[in-house]
Amino acid sequence: MQTIKTLKARKRIALIAHDHKKAELIEWATYNKTVLSRHELYATGTTGKLIEEALDVSVRKLLSGPLGGDQQIGALVAEGALDVIIFFWDPMEALPHDPDIKALLRLGVVWNIPVACNRASADFLLTSPLMHQDYEVILPDYTQYLQRKV
Ligand SMILES: O=C(CO)COP(=O)(O)O
């Protein structure tokens, strides 16, 4: 059984960056301010504060990543309350909340939503015509899993 979910033209976008990647995300977001301001922005705490200051746009700020922010974003993805994840994670540093980071990225795949983890991918994503129109996501079929015998 195939299930479809519609990502609306006005997307709910999560913006997240690790400390060594924050400058890059802020620069990218500033460059793309006009496009981003057409959508609804969410972020982990510190990233969100920096984006609000730099772009003068309103961002729904969750907790800071290591304090549970990644998990809050993950929960929103699982509930279908977020459409896109832009997450500049740091490939050069192990962080105390690595399990949370992995869990968030995993949920992006589980729910088949667009996820960009570096600037080039974020550029491709934001310039896609699909960013600005309704898009039907085909949800993976988890029926067999849900109906498994335990
Ligand atoms: O650690 C983060 C994501 O894993 C980001 O959290 P902050 O935006 O609060 O720094």
Side-chain angles (χ1 to χ4, degrees), residues 26 30 33 45-59 61:
I26 299 305
T30 304
K33 177 179 167 170
T46 319
T47 305
K49 187 167 149 278
L50 293 173
I51 290 173
E52 275 188 337
E53 284 167 8
L55 272 65
D56 196 25
V57 292
S58 99
V59 177
K61 297 186 293 300

Side-chain angles (χ1 to χ4, degrees), residues 36-48:
L36 285 174
S37 51
R38 285 187 221 142
H39 301 282
E40 215 173 311
L41 305 181
Y42 291 68
T44 46
T46 319
T47 305

Side-chain angles (χ1 to χ4, degrees), residues 15-19 22 43-48 62-66 69-70 87 89 95 97 100-101 104:
L15 298 165
I16 314 160
H18 287 150
D19 285 1
K22 282 186 169 65
T44 46
T46 319
T47 305
L62 299 154
L63 292 170
S64 181
D70 294 69
F87 187 175
W89 56 269
L95 293 167
H97 61 304
D100 303 29
I101 296 159
L104 169 55

Side-chain angles (χ1 to χ4, degrees), residues 9-35:
R10 181 172 156 85
K11 304 282 188 299
R12 297 160 298 181
I13 306 175
L15 298 165
I16 314 160
H18 287 150
D19 285 1
H20 294 142
K21 290 281 173 180
K22 282 186 169 65
E24 195 180 354
L25 181 69
I26 299 305
E27 194 184 301
W28 176 85
T30 304
Y31 181 79
N32 290 292
K33 177 179 167 170
T34 312
V35 177

